[in-house]
Amino acid sequence: MSFDPKRRLLLSRNDVKIAGVCGGIAEYLEIDPTIVRVVYTALTLFSAAFPGIILYILLMLIIPKAQ
């Protein structure tokens, strides 16, 4: 996993289930999107779901879309 300083976190255009947030994070970290989705879902469920849903909506609004 090499980090390029010019690389940006963007919503995924190719790996989209709802808005591309988890897919974009996975592309940025260069890992399998399924891992990101499982970890995000587990954290959301174990934190009473509400904060995870709010965080997803905020990320969906904040992270720019890929061109």
Side-chain angles (χ1 to χ4, degrees):
M1 183 172 12
S2 62
F3 290 102
D4 181 7
K6 296 178 184 177
R7 194 170 68 194
R8 296 179 49 201
L9 176 60
L10 302 169
L11 294 176
S12 178
R13 287 180 38 176
N14 302 324
D15 196 8
V16 178
K17 296 296 181 193
I18 297 174
V21 173
C22 292
I25 292 170
E27 288 174 8
Y28 182 78
L29 297 175
E30 297 178 354
I31 60 175
D32 185 9
T34 304
I35 295 170
V36 175
R37 288 187 182 102
V38 168
V39 169
Y40 179 79
T41 302
L43 289 173
T44 299
L45 292 175
F46 292 123
S47 66
F50 187 68
I53 294 169
I54 298 279
L55 177 64
Y56 192 91
I57 293 169
L58 286 174
L59 290 174
M60 184 174 59
L61 296 172
I62 293 171
I63 299 174
K65 294 181 181 179
Q67 298 300 329

